[in-house]
Amino acid sequence: MSRRRLSDEERVLWKGITRSIAPLRNSRDAMPDNAEPPAARPAVKARPKLPPKPAPKVRAKSAAAAIKPTAPKPAPPLAPLGRRVRQQLARGSRAIDGRLDLHGMTQVQAHDALLGFLGAMQARGAKVVLVITGKGAGGGDPYGERGVLKRQTPLWLRLPEFRRHIVGFEAAGIGHGGEGALYVTLRRAHEP
């Protein structure tokens, strides 16, 4: 397949485009065969080098103030429940340490209740709690705001303010509400 030559109009357009962009690397291989090389840029005059300024003297107090506080370390990734723990919970051979039912609450009320509940249960030494969100009504309105808490609760549990309390979460077993509830595994109280 042979390459066609650019018309005068296309050549003018191409020159305008190549002047308006900066190359990623200095390579003449990327330039088409029939394009003219770009015009040489005028040389920039180099500034005369000045002697380096002496470093300012720093007092001990200002040095300590100049150190920026370190950012808090990010929460570890969420971990799923182990298969054995999940089976024990579903069968009822392992006790659920607490339950929170979010039915009938607004998003703000549910968010605050969930955060308070998880903090209190963590302080008590609970390991696994059940958070009941409800399945949401599958009403006739496909664009309705049904099941808001069911959608929002997993998002909230991924936030840093909740991550300091929890290790992970999963949908509950059928006997505990299935898709309308979550098993939440809590961190030990002394862990960050």
Side-chain angles (χ1 to χ4, degrees), residues 12-82:
V12 169
L13 181 61
W14 181 250
K15 282 183 184 179
I17 290 172
T18 56
R19 283 187 193 132
S20 67
I21 60 172
L24 293 176
R25 54 191 150 139
N26 193 6
S27 173
R28 294 189 182 266
D29 298 336
M31 195 177 342
D33 295 335
N34 57 357
E36 297 176 14
R41 292 184 177 168
V44 178
K45 294 181 182 178
R47 293 183 183 177
K49 292 190 178 182
L50 299 175
K53 292 182 181 180
K57 294 182 182 179
V58 179
R59 294 183 186 174
K61 288 182 182 178
S62 62
I67 297 174
K68 295 181 181 177
T70 58
K73 68 178 188 176
L78 291 172
L81 265 64

Side-chain angles (χ1 to χ4, degrees), residues 12 30 50 98 131 141 146:
V12 169
L50 299 175
V131 177
D141 184 13
R146 297 295 188 181

Side-chain angles (χ1 to χ4, degrees), residues 68-155:
K68 295 181 181 177
T70 58
K73 68 178 188 176
L78 291 172
L81 265 64
R83 191 187 80 182
R84 179 169 289 175
V85 172
R86 185 171 170 74
Q87 285 178 345
Q88 289 172 345
L89 289 168
R91 291 178 185 154
S93 59
R94 182 174 184 157
I96 294 174
D97 299 320
R99 297 173 196 268
L100 174 66
D101 191 348
L102 300 176
H103 280 101
M105 293 186 190
T106 64
Q107 287 186 56
V108 173
Q109 291 171 335
H111 182 275
D112 294 341
L114 182 59
L115 188 58
F117 172 74
L118 293 176
M121 294 308 292
Q122 182 186 28
R124 281 189 194 165
K127 293 182 181 180
V128 180
V129 296
L130 182 69
V131 177
I132 303 166
T133 61
K135 295 180 183 178
D141 184 13
Y143 303 106
E145 287 293 318
R146 297 295 188 181
V148 174
L149 296 180
K150 179 185 174 194
R151 285 193 316 267
Q152 290 296 329
T153 302
L155 299 176

Side-chain angles (χ1 to χ4, degrees), residues 4-12:
R4 70 175 182 86
R5 303 202 51 73
L6 296 176
S7 68
D8 291 336
E9 185 178 309
E10 291 172 327
R11 188 165 304 166
V12 169

